[in-house]
Amino acid sequence: MGKLLAVTFLFMCCVVPSLAKVYTVGDSSGWGLGVDYTTWASGITLNVGDSLVFNYPSGHTVDEVSSSDYSSCTTGNSITSDSSGATTIPLKTAGTHYFICGVMGHCSGGMKLAVTVAAAGGSGGATTPSTGTTTPTTGTTAPKTETTNTTHPSASVTLSPFIPLLISGVVAIFSYFVTI
């Protein structure tokens, strides 16, 4: 009976999903011209371990760039660049990450996304393209408002890639003990 309990416990530990989420940039519209990435990104909380998936047809790129290259839509100094049509960016570090399409005129046409990534379990978020304006402060504190944490439509929870391996091991161990 103790062996069966141990196998059951091991199995239950294997099926717990990880906390990482995968976000499809632009949802069903994907990465392209004419998509409002500011609206898409609103309300997203990104953490280290999450991923962004960019889906796009040929004729586009996904370039991760510096803050200054993002602001000026400068290409040629990309941190990373891909044009495969399906780019997955694992968010491995906290901070703001900047993405543009490196095709001439596309970034200035709105194909740019800046996201803030919090440490795992933190409180990240998405930022919007800068308009170059600032809002003056009046020295008063705005009343605090309560926000509801909702799941973004493109978010999906992922299971650890080791789950199938662990389940196979559990089944093998269980089969061994049952046949004894």
Side-chain angles (χ1 to χ4, degrees):
M1 183 65 171
K3 293 176 185 177
L4 180 59
L5 184 59
V7 170
T8 303
F9 177 74
L10 181 62
F11 178 75
M12 294 304 290
C13 290
C14 293
V15 296
V16 174
S18 70
L19 298 177
K21 293 183 180 178
V22 177
Y23 294 88
T24 302
V25 174
D27 296 321
S28 61
S29 297
W31 182 239
L33 292 167
V35 179
D36 182 356
Y37 294 105
T38 301
T39 300
W40 175 82
S42 64
I44 293 177
T45 300
L46 296 169
N47 294 295
V48 170
D50 292 345
S51 296
L52 295 174
V53 175
F54 294 79
N55 294 314
Y56 51 97
S58 63
H60 295 297
T61 66
V62 175
D63 296 5
E64 184 169 3
V65 296
S66 68
S67 172
S68 60
D69 286 351
Y70 173 85
S71 296
S72 63
C73 288
T74 301
T75 60
N77 300 317
S78 300
I79 298 165
T80 63
S81 183
D82 187 52
S83 60
S84 67
T87 304
T88 299
I89 306 288
L91 302 171
K92 298 178 181 178
T93 58
T96 304
H97 297 261
Y98 303 93
F99 303 96
I100 64 171
C101 179
V103 175
M104 185 175 290
H106 289 194
C107 175
S108 59
M111 283 186 72
K112 59 194 292 185
L113 173 69
V115 294
T116 302
V117 180
S123 177
T127 61
T128 57
S130 173
T131 61
T133 61
T134 59
T135 305
T137 57
T138 60
T140 59
T141 305
K144 294 187 180 200
T145 57
E146 186 174 327
T147 58
T148 307
N149 188 10
T150 58
T151 301
H152 194 274
S154 71
S156 61
V157 176
T158 59
L159 292 176
S160 168
F162 298 104
I163 296 297
L165 179 63
L166 291 173
I167 291 174
S168 298
V170 168
V171 169
I173 292 169
F174 184 75
S175 297
Y176 173 78
F177 287 118
V178 169
T179 58
I180 291 183

